Amino acid sequence: MEISGYSLNELLGQNPRIFSSGEKTKAEYKALWDTITSGKEWKGEFLNRKKNGENYWENASISPILNEKGKITHFLAVKEDITEKKLIDQALRNSEQKYQTLARISPVGIFRTDAKGSTTYVNPTWCEISGISAEEALGNGWLKKVHPDDRRTLNENWQQSVNNEAVSYSEYRFIRSDDSIVWVIGKAVPEMDADGKLIGYVGTATDISEHKKLESTKEILINISNALLATESLHDFSNYIFDELGKVIQTNNFYIALYQEETQMFSAPFIKDSLDADLTEFPVGKTMTGLVIRTRKSQLINKERFKSLEQAGEIELLGPPSDVWIGVPLFINDNVIGAIVIQNYDGEKRLDEEDLKILEYAAPQISLAIARKRTLEDLKAALEKAQESDRLKSAFLANMSHEIRTPMNGILGFTELLKEPQLSGEQQQEFIEVIERSGARMLNTIRDLIDISTIEAGQVSVMNSETDMQEQLEQIVTFFKPEAESKGLRLHFNLPAGESTTCFTDSEKVYTILSNLTKNAIKYSKKGSIEIGCNKNQDCLAFYVKDEGIGIPQDKLESVFDRFVQADSRLSSDYEGVGLGLSITKAYVEMLGGKIWVESEEGVGSTFYFTIAKKNKQGLEIKKTILEPEKTDKITIKKSEIKLKILLVEDDPMSQQLIKHMLSGMYDEIIIANNGIEAFDYAKTISDFDLILMDMKMPDMDGFEATRLIRQFNKEVIIIAQTAYSMLGDREKTIDAGCNDYISKPINKPDLISLINKHFKHQP
C-alpha cells in the first residue's frame, strides 16, 4: 500500500486492474489468468501506476490458494518494488546504445570480450579492417584469420594478458578472404565493474598496413642489394626479387622483361604466371610492356583502360587478358633497360595505386641490381669460357699425345721386332699389317692437325669446279662400305630420282665433309644402317648423314662442332680421335657458303645436316704437305734370364701384342686385362703376380684408379705405368697413384727390359 499510495479500505474489494498502467496487453493478462486458474504459480514483472499517477515497477509472484477439496478459493500475490533497478538497467541500456552508436561510426576497429578473453562484440570498422564478419569474430573465431606465422605468439600473449588482467598490445596480420594481408596494431584494456572485478576487455585494432609496406619495402631493397652476390644467376636473382616483393604486394603473376633495343624483343629471365608461364621471349610490338618502354612511364591498366587503349590502337593483347596489370620501367643512366610487371586475373581490386607506388619506389634499386647482376654474369661467363677453353685445350694436348704415341708404339715397336732374324714369314706379315694400321691412324691425326692449323691461319682457299654430287656420294659409299660391313652396318645413299645434282663448288672439300661425317657415323654405330642423302633446293644443296648409333646428349648438341670436344676427359675413351673432325667439317661448310647442324637422341641415333651454296667464287689451289717417316737406328737387344708372372693391363690389342713379343722369354705366364676393372679383379684373385704393366688411359676404369685400388691390398707387387701421355707432371701423377715406375709410349724394348731388370735384378 505504501508503494501504491492507496489505503487498505480503498483497495478492499477492488479488482487488481486498479494498478494497471496499460502497459500489459489483454493477451498477457489472459495468459497470467490462465496460469493461476490452472493451479500454477505465475512470475513476472508489472509496470503499475500509483494513486498519484506515477508509474512504478514491481516483481510479482502470484499463487492460487486451494481448500481441502483442492478448489481455488483465492490468490496470494507477493510483490517487490524494482523501480530503482529498472531505472538503473534502463540507464545502462541507454549508455550501451550510445556506446554502440559511437563504436559503429568510429574510424578505428573496436572489440569487446568477456572476462575469459572471448570476443563478444566487434564494430563495423573492425570487420572492414580484418575482412571478418561480426558472427565469425565471436569467441575465438577471429584467431582463425590471423596469419599462421603470428597466430601462436599472439594467442599466447593475449591469454597471458587476460590471466594477469593486464593491458594487451601487439602487432599482427590478418589474411582476408581475397588473400590480401592487413597489418594491425591491437590494444586492449581491462574493463572492471563497480566492485573492481574484471568483466572483460575493450580494445582497438588500427590498420598499419601502409606504414608496414613502406617499412618492409626499405628492408626489401636492402635485402635485394645484399642478394646480388649471393645468387648464382640472373634467374635466381629475379626469383629472389619475386619472393621479396611478395612480402608487400600480391606477386602471384609476375615477370621481369629486359628490353633489347637492337632486336626490339623482350627477354624474360624470370616469369611466374598461372596462365602464361612459358613466355620467355616476346616482341616489343604493341604489348602493354612495350607501352611502358615507349612512354617511359609506369602504367596501371584495368579492363576499362585496356579497352580504351586497344580501341585507340595503342596496345594489342599478347597472352591471356588480365583484370588488372601494373608495369613499371627500369632505368639505368636514363636508358630504359626493361620493366617489372605484376598482373592479376581474379579481380581489378587485387592491385591498386598503392601497389604501383611501391613498385615505383623499388624500381631504381632493382634496376641497378639487375644491371650489376647482368654485368657479373657476363664477366662470369667470359671467365668460365676462358677456363673451359683452357681445360679443353689441356685435355686436347693430353689426348693428342695419346693419339700420336699409341700408333707410334705400334709402328716403332713392330718395326723393331721385324729386325729379329728368327721371325717366320707369317709373323713378319702380321707385324707389317699392324704397322700399316698404326701408320694410317697416325696419318689421320696428323692430317686433322694440319687441316685445323691451316684453317686457323687462314691459308685454306676454295677451288670451285663442276661437281657431280651423285658421283661424290658413290665414291664415299664405295670407299667406306667395307669398313661399315665389317661392323655389320648397312651403308647406302639416297638421291631424288631424275634430278640433276651437279653444282659449281669445291669438290675436295665436299668430299672431306662427307667423309668426316660418314667416318663418325661408322665410328659411333654398332648396329643398323647409315644413310647419306642430298636434296636440291632453290639456293643450295642440302645434305644429310643419318645413323642409328649411340646418339649425342642434348646438352652437347651445341658444342659438338667446337674443337677439342672429344678430347674432353669426361667423354668416353672408347673411340679414337682428337676431336677436330667436326670442327674442320664446320669450317669447310661455312667456306662453301652453307651451314651445318645436328639432330640427335641418345640411344637412337644422329642426323647431321649441312647445306652448300650453289655458287662460290673460285679460289686458289691449296698447297699440300707430304710427311716422310722418321728413320730409326738398328738396336741390338740382350737376352734376359728373368722369368716373371706378369699382368699386362692394356686396352689396345696392338699394344698387347707388341709388349708380349717384347717380353718374350722373360715370363713364365702373362695375363691380359683389357681395362682397369679386369686388372683389379685379376690382382684380387691372383696374388702371386711379380709385375703389373699398367696402361693409364682406358675405358670403364683408368690405370690411376685401378692402381690405387690394387695398392689397398697389395703393397709388394711392382707396378710400372705405361702410357701414351707425356705431359709435364704425368710421371709424378703415376707415382702418386702407387706405381713404382713409368715408361711412355712408344715403348722401346731395350728401355722396357732395362726398367724391368732394374726392379728384378736379384732374381735368377
Side-chain angles (χ1 to χ4, degrees):
M1 291 185 295
E2 182 180 344
I3 297 172
S4 66
Y6 287 100
S7 66
L8 179 61
N9 291 330
E10 289 175 319
L11 293 176
L12 289 174
Q14 294 291 331
N15 191 292
R17 290 194 182 92
I18 192 174
F19 301 116
S20 176
S21 64
E23 181 267 340
K24 279 195 179 297
T25 65
K26 289 182 179 181
E28 289 176 310
Y29 276 117
K30 183 178 184 304
L32 182 156
W33 184 251
D34 289 344
T35 299
I36 59 178
T37 56
S38 65
K40 297 178 183 178
E41 181 184 20
W42 180 92
K43 289 184 178 181
E45 295 178 351
F46 287 106
L47 178 62
N48 287 338
R49 183 168 293 157
K50 295 180 181 181
K51 182 179 179 180
N52 62 9
E54 293 180 4
N55 289 338
Y56 68 96
W57 281 94
E58 61 181 8
N59 186 29
S61 173
I62 304 174
S63 304
I65 303 297
L66 308 178
N67 60 17
E68 62 277 5
K69 295 180 180 180
K71 185 176 180 181
I72 298 174
T73 58
H74 53 279
F75 300 94
L76 174 66
V78 179
K79 298 184 177 181
E80 177 189 5
D81 185 358
I82 58 171
T83 303
E84 185 176 353
K85 179 178 180 298
K86 279 289 186 179
L87 290 174
I88 292 172
D89 287 346
Q90 184 62 43
L92 287 173
R93 279 195 296 274
N94 291 340
S95 175
E96 182 70 20
Q97 187 174 4
K98 289 179 182 178
Y99 172 84
Q100 295 282 1
T101 302
L102 290 173
R104 277 196 300 273
I105 64 174
S106 172
V108 177
I110 296 174
F111 64 91
R112 295 185 76 175
T113 77
D114 60 20
K116 294 181 179 179
S118 294
T119 302
T120 58
Y121 169 80
V122 291
N123 73 339
T125 305
W126 188 97
C127 295
E128 183 180 338
I129 291 172
S130 65
I132 307 171
S133 69
E135 291 76 15
E136 290 176 310
L138 297 180
N140 288 325
W142 62 276
L143 197 59
K144 297 175 183 177
K145 297 293 184 178
V146 173
H147 195 289
D149 293 345
D150 303 339
R151 191 177 299 153
R152 181 177 177 180
T153 301
L154 175 63
N155 190 41
E156 288 176 352
N157 292 342
W158 171 240
Q159 292 303 322
Q160 185 176 358
S161 297
V162 171
N163 294 337
N164 296 333
E165 299 184 3
V167 174
S168 172
Y169 180 91
S170 55
E171 289 186 9
Y172 54 94
R173 291 166 288 178
F174 281 117
I175 300 180
R176 291 170 169 168
S177 56
D178 63 0
D179 292 331
S180 61
I181 293 176
V182 182
W183 274 97
V184 298
I185 288 180
K187 185 175 181 180
V189 295
E191 186 178 9
M192 305 294 186
D193 63 11
D195 298 326
K197 183 180 179 182
L198 179 71
I199 59 173
Y201 275 82
V202 178
T204 60
T206 306
D207 187 346
I208 59 167
S209 299
E210 295 308 316
H211 170 74
K212 276 290 185 180
K213 279 187 177 181
L214 181 61
E215 189 179 90
S216 297
T217 303
K218 291 178 181 178
E219 183 181 346
I220 285 167
L221 295 181
I222 294 172
N223 293 342
I224 289 173
S225 296
N226 293 338
L228 192 61
L229 295 176
T231 50
E232 289 292 325
S233 64
L234 182 58
H235 177 274
D236 293 342
F237 181 61
S238 301
N239 190 51
Y240 187 85
I241 293 173
F242 165 79
D243 289 338
E244 287 295 305
L245 287 177
K247 296 176 181 178
V248 291
I249 305 176
Q250 286 195 58
T251 54
N252 304 44
N253 304 290
F254 167 95
Y255 65 88
I256 293 174
L258 299 181
Y259 176 50
Q260 301 166 23
E261 187 175 4
E262 302 80 10
T263 60
Q264 286 298 298
M265 294 288 291
F266 284 119
S267 62
F270 181 84
I271 181 168
K272 278 283 182 75
D273 196 290
S274 57
L275 300 181
D276 203 16
D278 295 330
L279 189 67
T280 57
E281 191 175 62
F282 58 97
V284 173
K286 290 187 177 181
T287 60
M288 289 187 284
T289 315
L291 181 66
V292 172
I293 302 301
R294 290 195 304 274
T295 61
R296 298 167 61 88
K297 293 180 180 179
S298 300
Q299 301 289 338
L300 192 156
I301 302 175
N302 55 22
K303 287 183 176 180
E304 182 180 351
R305 183 155 185 255
F306 176 84
K307 187 176 181 181
S308 174
L309 290 169
E310 188 178 39
Q311 290 175 346
E314 291 287 329
I315 59 175
E316 294 175 356
L317 182 63
L318 177 68
S322 55
D323 291 339
V324 60
W325 186 97
I326 291 178
V328 174
L330 301 174
F331 291 95
I332 289 293
N333 297 329
D334 202 42
N335 294 319
V336 184
I337 66 166
I340 186 166
V341 175
I342 55 174
Q343 57 186 330
N344 202 288
Y345 303 109
D346 302 321
E348 292 186 5
K349 294 183 179 180
R350 296 299 178 92
L351 298 171
D352 55 27
E353 290 284 350
E354 292 300 323
D355 298 315
L356 178 65
K357 289 177 183 178
I358 290 173
L359 274 188
E360 287 179 329
Y361 181 76
Q365 185 66 30
I366 292 174
S367 300
L368 184 61
I370 288 176
R372 287 177 177 172
K373 191 64 180 178
R374 291 174 78 180
T375 301
L376 288 172
E377 282 203 342
D378 290 344
L379 290 173
K380 183 180 178 182
L383 177 61
E384 288 177 350
K385 187 174 181 180
Q387 290 173 337
E388 178 70 0
S389 178
D390 286 344
R391 188 184 65 78
L392 288 176
K393 285 178 181 178
S394 297
F396 166 75
L397 290 174
N399 206 49
M400 180 60 64
S401 173
H402 180 272
E403 287 300 314
I404 291 176
R405 288 176 177 270
T406 297
M408 278 292 290
N409 193 38
I411 294 169
L412 297 179
F414 279 94
T415 299
E416 191 174 306
L417 289 175
L418 282 173
K419 298 171 185 176
E420 297 184 359
Q422 72 274 22
L423 289 177
S424 66
E426 185 179 343
Q427 285 178 314
Q428 288 178 346
Q429 186 61 39
E430 181 185 348
F431 294 170
I432 291 170
E433 288 176 0
V434 172
I435 292 170
E436 288 176 344
R437 290 198 303 271
S438 298
R441 179 175 173 180
M442 179 172 256
L443 184 61
N444 284 334
T445 299
I446 294 171
R447 184 184 293 118
D448 282 350
L449 284 173
I450 293 173
D451 286 347
I452 201 68
S453 298
T454 54
I455 289 170
E456 286 192 335
Q459 296 177 358
V460 179
S461 299
V462 176
M463 289 289 293
N464 290 327
S465 62
E466 277 308 312
T467 304
D468 186 345
M469 293 305 166
Q470 180 169 345
E471 185 179 323
Q472 289 267 357
L473 296 184
E474 287 174 349
Q475 289 177 2
I476 290 290
V477 170
T478 300
F479 182 81
F480 286 103
K481 198 166 189 177
E483 183 180 351
E485 289 179 345
S486 70
K487 294 183 68 175
L489 304 171
R490 178 173 174 263
L491 177 64
H492 64 284
F493 70 89
N494 181 26
L495 284 173
E499 187 172 323
S500 172
T501 54
T502 300
C503 181
F504 187 71
T505 189
D506 189 322
S507 61
E508 290 295 324
K509 287 184 177 54
V510 173
Y511 186 87
T512 300
I513 294 165
L514 289 169
S515 177
N516 284 344
L517 294 178
T518 305
K519 259 194 301 188
N520 266 9
I522 295 172
K523 181 195 296 186
Y524 295 108
S525 296
K526 296 180 180 178
K527 61 180 181 178
S529 64
I530 297 170
E531 180 180 322
I532 309 169
C534 175
N535 294 299
K536 195 170 186 178
N537 297 331
Q538 185 176 355
D539 300 319
C540 63
L541 286 175
F543 297 82
Y544 65 89
V545 177
K546 181 179 181 180
D547 65 56
E548 298 174 11
I550 62 173
I552 304 169
Q554 292 299 307
D555 61 346
K556 296 290 182 183
L557 287 179
E558 291 187 7
S559 62
V560 73
F561 297 104
D562 295 343
R563 62 197 59 178
F564 315 138
V565 168
Q566 188 189 314
D568 187 343
S569 58
R570 293 171 298 180
L571 300 180
S572 172
S573 302
D574 292 344
Y575 303 98
E576 297 175 2
V578 291
L580 294 176
L582 288 178
S583 297
I584 295 168
T585 300
K586 182 174 184 287
Y588 282 176
V589 169
E590 291 173 351
M591 286 180 192
L592 299 180
K595 61 179 182 178
I596 186 169
W597 68 98
V598 61
E599 295 176 0
S600 185
E601 184 178 348
E602 276 192 278
V604 176
S606 304
T607 304
F608 283 83
Y609 300 90
F610 72 93
T611 61
I612 59 172
K614 288 183 180 179
K615 291 183 180 181
N616 282 292
K617 292 182 180 179
Q618 188 168 350
L620 300 174
E621 185 178 359
I622 304 170
K623 293 182 179 179
K624 297 183 180 179
T625 303
I626 299 174
L627 300 177
E628 295 291 343
E630 190 175 345
K631 294 183 178 179
T632 307
D633 295 334
K634 187 174 181 179
I635 300 173
T636 303
I637 302 171
K638 193 174 182 179
K639 297 289 182 180
S640 173
E641 295 180 355
I642 299 175
K643 299 292 183 181
L644 303 172
K645 186 170 186 177
I646 300 173
L647 175 61
L648 173 58
V649 188
E650 174 60 67
D651 65 318
D652 181 61
M654 177 270 295
S655 296
Q656 294 173 1
Q657 186 180 8
L658 173 63
I659 293 172
K660 281 184 69 175
H661 280 285
M662 282 183 173
L663 299 181
S664 177
M666 295 187 66
Y667 58 84
D668 284 328
E669 182 180 5
I670 187 165
I671 295 176
I672 306 294
N674 294 294
N675 54 55
I677 295 174
E678 290 183 14
F680 173 79
D681 291 338
Y682 279 128
K684 188 77 173 175
T685 55
I686 303 173
S687 61
D688 60 343
F689 284 116
D690 300 302
L691 172 65
I692 299 176
L693 290 173
M694 180 73 72
D695 186 22
M696 303 314 286
K697 183 188 178 185
M698 295 176 291
D700 301 325
M701 181 189 290
D702 63 24
F704 295 96
E705 182 65 15
T707 300
R708 280 191 287 267
L709 291 174
I710 291 170
R711 284 303 186 207
Q712 290 179 7
F713 58 84
N714 191 334
K715 309 289 187 184
E716 305 300 326
V717 65
I718 301 299
I719 303 178
I720 296 177
Q722 44 106 9
T723 176
Y725 289 137
S726 63
M727 303 298 289
L728 185 65
D730 282 341
R731 178 182 177 84
E732 288 73 17
K733 289 178 183 177
T734 60
I735 300 302
D736 289 343
C739 295
N740 299 91
D741 225 318
Y742 169 99
I743 188 168
S744 62
K745 296 177 181 178
I747 294 174
N748 178 274
K749 183 175 181 180
D751 290 345
L752 178 60
I753 293 174
S754 175
L755 192 60
I756 294 173
N757 283 331
K758 168 185 166 184
H759 291 281
F760 297 93
K761 58 185 177 181
H762 299 300
Q763 292 192 16

